Amino acid sequence: MFFPEGRIRVFLYGQAADMRQSYDGLYALAHQGFEVDVLAGHMFVFINRRQTQMKVLYFDRSGWCLWCKRLESGKFSRKGVQGGSGEIDCTALKLMLEGIEVRRRHKRYQHPARR
């Protein structure tokens, strides 16, 4: 499924998550860890302690969806958020899923601030 990247917000849970949890357990972590409406369609990303598994939870108007990925070698990088939970952009999630680690993050163009 493809998402309009301008509308979807992605939240990375900064602490290690128990990958035995499913919909209800991850919903509880997202509800307690973030100050946003969990049912608004945002994506919530959870990574385990060894950083070899990732789960993405979101609500799509009719129910919960859960994506899982387990690496056979290597680790996911949690460098976007240190020590706590926070928001990342869709591009950072795509890069994380592909195993690409950006060392220097520099945007060539930014939209002017709206007033």
Side-chain angles (χ1 to χ4, degrees):
M1 178 178 276
F2 297 101
F3 298 100
E5 292 185 13
R7 297 181 188 166
I8 298 296
R9 295 174 66 187
V10 180
F11 296 93
L12 177 65
Y13 191 72
Q15 300 172 358
D18 184 5
M19 289 295 121
R20 295 175 291 180
Q21 294 182 8
S22 188
Y23 302 98
D24 296 329
L26 295 176
Y27 164 77
L29 287 177
H31 185 69
Q32 293 173 357
F34 302 101
E35 295 180 2
V36 296
D37 182 15
V38 182
L39 300 174
H42 307 307
M43 299 179 116
F44 299 94
V45 180
F46 303 93
I47 300 175
N48 69 338
R49 181 181 49 84
R50 292 183 299 170
Q51 299 178 356
T52 57
Q53 295 181 21
M54 175 189 294
K55 288 189 177 183
V56 179
L57 178 75
Y58 70 96
F59 190 79
D60 74 342
R61 295 185 308 229
S62 61
W64 289 103
C65 295
L66 186 63
W67 296 346
C68 305
K69 183 168 184 176
R70 182 183 73 189
L71 297 177
E72 295 299 322
S73 63
K75 294 183 177 186
F76 290 111
S77 176
R78 242 191 257 146
K79 291 189 177 179
V81 178
Q82 293 293 332
S85 303
E87 186 173 358
I88 61 173
D89 57 355
C90 286
T91 305
L93 176 62
K94 289 178 185 178
L95 292 174
M96 188 184 304
L97 286 170
E98 290 297 323
I100 301 171
E101 190 173 328
V102 180
R103 300 217 185 267
R104 181 174 167 233
R105 189 171 168 184
H106 178 71
K107 292 185 179 181
R108 292 184 288 173
Y109 175 77
Q110 292 182 348
H111 294 286
R114 294 181 183 177
R115 293 178 186 226

